[in-house]
Amino acid sequence: MSDPSFTPRPVPAVETQFRRIHTQFPVPESLPILQKLHDFELRAMAGQPPVVWDRAEGFQVYDAWGNKWLDWSSGVLITNAGHGRKEIADAISAQAQHTLLTNYCFPSAIRAELCERLVGLMPEPLKKIFLLTTGSETVEFAVKIARIHGHKIGGRSKNVIVSFEKAFHGRTMGSQQVGGIPVLKEWIGNLDPGFVQVPFPDGYWTEDTSFELFERTLAENGVAPSQVCAVILETYQGGTAAFAPPQYIKTLRQWCDGHRALLVFDEVQAGFGRTGTLWGFEHYGVLPDLTTWGKGISSSLPISAIVGKPELMDLPNPGSASSTHTGNPVCCAAALANVDLIVKENLPHNAAVVGEVLQEGLRKIKARFPQAAYLAGKGLVAGLACVKAHKQPDGELAHAIVWRCVEKGLLMFSPVGPAGCTIKIAPPLNITAEAVREGCAVLEEAFEEVLAERAATTPDAVAQA
């Protein structure tokens, strides 16, 4: 492989309660595995730090060569209840041993049980559910419901889906048109004009947080409010961890009601306790008409869901909405065990309490390093954006810091957000305050070292040497 990041090099040994690094990095013995993936897997799958996972438990990830990482990724915000939970593994095993591994849309008791359990966690009137496989699928179905409803109450012209710039809603064609990242849509070519994005009021990348900007942007795009069938937003933006001001969302709820548009919250990342409440939209004091789930729903196997008002969810005719693996019985077993753990162990509360320890540690880093210019998040999700100057993303710095952290035993996925400048932090929700403090110390060390090395190789520093 020509990728220099796959060349093993010595790194300082680490041995703490939560981390252990005692090999070169990448591990020389891992190169055959990395080579196979390079040779046989599409290159779009590349880009993550070259840690070859062998097993994971709680909030730690292990390779097969004795190294141990403190995990700040949760895979990709999946393992809310923690990695490798015995309760989830046992539920999966029991269902598999029962030998019902799939049943398409034919009824099953376990699918009925999961539907009842999940709907029981939702406030009125969000009482109908559709189980799917991926977050992208749930967004696609939300678009379908929004347009069916729009056509029903306002004719074919009421078909505009409004979403937000910089948003990520999935990898399929419809979900990427909902998303607000232009580079991800270039392959589509003939974009649907019924998808329109407005600025997200994060207060940094978009300094204007007034709702007037929402209305003005629609007008500038030639969209009348009567044409809008739905507004969809991530509860927090996945690429930055930014929340909107609560009053903005309250006004948006009123605007949607006034113009008979649906309000859809994409909770694929935020749901199941991640932000310190069971559902992220609780921070805004409003209810959506539809909400989408994924990732943390099972802490393990692929399953997702969309939940909403019965009169909306029942709009498609029987047989017109299905999915090959909808409500897969093994995935349902995992989800039921996961929900029980999240509720029984009150993991949303732990996310709120330990999340404040995380946010405090990150605020300290932001205050020390001007290059860490923008911090966002709640609970156990955060985004720390690296910049060269105000609103000038520095993806190279973010990448270098994440890689340095991984070499020190703190695992994160590759930076995200504008120009890949945001260090995204999302540990399992059962992490302890002590482990979070250690992770913050490692991140601070990485900032210090990488910035010192960068300063030493600038032209001015070289000339002085």
Side-chain angles (χ1 to χ4, degrees):
M1 288 173 288
S2 60
D3 188 339
S5 66
F6 288 167
T7 301
R9 68 185 189 89
V11 296
V14 174
E15 186 68 55
T16 74
Q17 178 183 355
F18 303 114
R19 299 174 292 133
R20 181 191 310 116
I21 303 293
H22 67 176
T23 66
Q24 293 180 299
F25 188 78
V27 180
E29 291 85 353
S30 73
L31 295 184
I33 298 170
L34 297 172
Q35 185 68 54
K36 284 182 183 179
L37 293 171
H38 174 80
D39 291 345
F40 302 118
E41 194 173 56
L42 74 167
R43 66 191 184 106
M45 283 286 288
Q48 295 303 327
V51 174
V52 177
W53 293 33
D54 180 64
R55 61 188 177 89
E57 298 176 5
F59 47 83
Q60 289 160 312
V61 170
Y62 300 78
D63 68 13
W65 303 281
N67 297 310
K68 175 174 67 176
W69 284 265
L70 173 59
D71 181 32
W72 271 14
S73 75
S74 297
V76 60
L77 300 105
I78 296 169
T79 53
N80 284 19
H83 289 287
R85 293 297 301 262
K86 184 178 186 301
E87 297 88 342
I88 296 173
D90 287 348
I92 291 169
S93 177
Q95 181 60 41
Q97 292 298 320
H98 187 65
T99 70
L100 182 63
L101 302 182
T102 187
N103 60 301
Y104 179 49
C105 294
F106 293 101
S108 71
I110 195 165
R111 191 172 88 226
E113 183 181 358
L114 179 60
C115 288
E116 180 182 35
R117 183 81 169 97
L118 291 174
V119 166
L121 296 173
M122 295 301 293
E124 291 284 354
L126 306 177
K127 291 299 181 179
K128 274 289 180 89
I129 189 168
F130 184 21
L131 299 177
L132 290 157
T133 310
T134 69
S136 297
E137 272 192 296
T138 66
V139 172
E140 295 276 359
F141 188 72
V143 169
K144 182 175 184 175
I145 291 295
R147 284 194 163 165
I148 292 173
H149 181 257
H151 296 164
K152 180 180 178 180
I153 66 170
R156 303 295 290 186
S157 64
K158 193 171 182 65
N159 73 333
V160 175
I161 308 284
V162 179
S163 54
F164 288 82
E165 294 172 2
K166 302 183 186 69
F168 181 81
H169 290 287
R171 294 288 186 189
T172 53
M173 183 181 288
S175 64
Q176 291 203 328
Q177 293 197 82
V178 176
I181 305 173
V183 68
L184 295 183
K185 311 182 200 190
E186 290 177 354
W187 65 276
I188 298 174
N190 55 333
L191 293 172
D192 183 338
F195 292 99
V196 174
Q197 282 79 53
V198 300
F200 186 83
D202 56 60
Y204 181 77
W205 302 108
T206 300
E207 295 181 17
D208 185 352
T209 62
S210 70
F211 193 75
E212 287 77 13
L213 180 59
F214 175 95
E215 297 177 301
R216 188 167 68 249
T217 305
L218 287 186
E220 290 170 354
N221 281 275
V223 175
S226 61
Q227 294 177 277
V228 177
C229 64
V231 180
I232 180 169
L233 71 155
E234 298 167 287
T235 306
Y236 64 80
Q237 287 216 301
T240 62
F243 285 74
Q247 186 54 53
Y248 181 102
I249 299 300
K250 289 184 172 67
T251 304
L252 176 60
R253 175 73 273 184
Q254 294 168 357
W255 187 94
C256 288
D257 291 341
H259 296 289
R260 299 195 300 170
L262 304 184
L263 179 60
V264 183
F265 275 111
D266 181 340
E267 294 249 334
V268 169
Q269 287 196 24
F272 298 91
R274 171 62 56 187
T275 68
T277 55
L278 190 56
W279 314 119
F281 60 74
E282 295 178 65
H283 294 288
Y284 294 127
V286 304
L287 286 177
D289 299 298
L290 302 169
T291 183
T292 64
W293 300 336
K295 296 188 184 294
I297 190 172
S298 74
S299 291
S300 55
L301 301 185
I303 185 170
S304 63
I306 178 169
V307 184
K309 296 178 178 178
E311 62 269 25
L312 298 174
M313 296 294 289
D314 284 337
L315 282 172
N317 293 322
S320 65
S322 64
S323 183
T324 299
H325 295 290
T326 184
N328 174 275
V330 182
C331 296
C332 285
L336 281 165
N338 176 64
V339 170
D340 285 347
L341 286 171
I342 287 172
V343 172
K344 180 179 67 176
E345 297 180 359
N346 201 2
L347 293 181
H349 177 72
N350 193 64
V353 173
V354 180
E356 185 49 43
V357 176
L358 173 65
Q359 303 294 335
E360 180 184 357
L362 297 176
R363 286 192 291 268
K364 177 184 174 184
I365 293 171
K366 179 179 180 294
R368 182 179 173 191
F369 302 106
Q371 296 87 345
Y374 177 54
L375 171 63
K378 293 182 188 295
L380 285 173
V381 64
L384 192 60
C386 297
V387 300
K388 301 171 186 175
H390 183 62
K391 292 204 286 189
Q392 295 182 25
D394 193 342
E396 289 184 5
L397 176 59
H399 181 277
I401 288 170
V402 166
W403 254 247
R404 183 61 55 86
C405 285
V406 173
E407 292 174 355
K408 290 174 173 287
L410 177 64
L411 184 62
M412 293 180 280
F413 46 76
S414 292
V416 295
C421 78
T422 300
I423 299 169
K424 186 79 171 285
I425 298 160
L429 305 189
N430 61 346
I431 198 169
T432 64
E434 184 182 7
V436 163
R437 290 189 186 97
E438 181 169 313
C440 287
V442 175
L443 181 59
E444 187 171 0
E445 282 178 11
F447 263 97
E448 185 174 29
E449 292 174 8
V450 170
L451 288 172
E453 290 168 10
R454 175 182 279 194
T457 57
T458 59
D460 288 345
V462 172
Q464 290 172 4

